[in-house]
Amino acid sequence: MIKVADLPIAAIVRIAKKNGAERVGHDGAAALGKRAEEYIGELAREAQVNALLSRRKTIRQEDISLAAKSM
């Protein structure tokens, strides 16, 4: 069995449907959630580096934007 991500399955299904999916199975939603969490983790790590380079502890929107561009 696939471990369900920390993200709510209902939210994952809603996002998938808003982007064209007719139906999303539980295992599909769990897989989407796992990949989304991995991406968010990578993005947060890159954003943290950007914040530290700016001598801040707090991640800001510009840190996220720069991190997304570099990925």
Side-chain angles (χ1 to χ4, degrees):
M1 181 171 169
I2 297 174
K3 179 191 177 294
V4 176
D6 290 332
L7 296 171
I9 294 293
I12 295 166
V13 170
R14 188 172 50 252
I15 292 166
K17 286 184 174 184
K18 281 184 179 180
N19 286 281
E22 273 189 52
R23 297 177 65 179
V24 181
H26 183 76
D27 60 337
L32 276 169
K34 183 176 184 234
R35 292 293 302 241
E37 286 186 356
E38 289 170 2
Y39 176 74
I40 292 167
E42 291 174 25
L43 191 60
R45 282 188 290 278
E46 286 291 320
Q48 180 63 28
V49 169
N50 293 336
L52 291 174
L53 289 171
S54 297
R55 297 182 180 182
R56 288 183 278 104
K57 292 182 181 179
T58 303
I59 295 174
R60 294 184 181 168
Q61 184 274 329
E62 60 261 25
D63 301 320
I64 300 292
S65 294
L66 285 171
K69 288 178 186 175
S70 72
M71 293 178 69

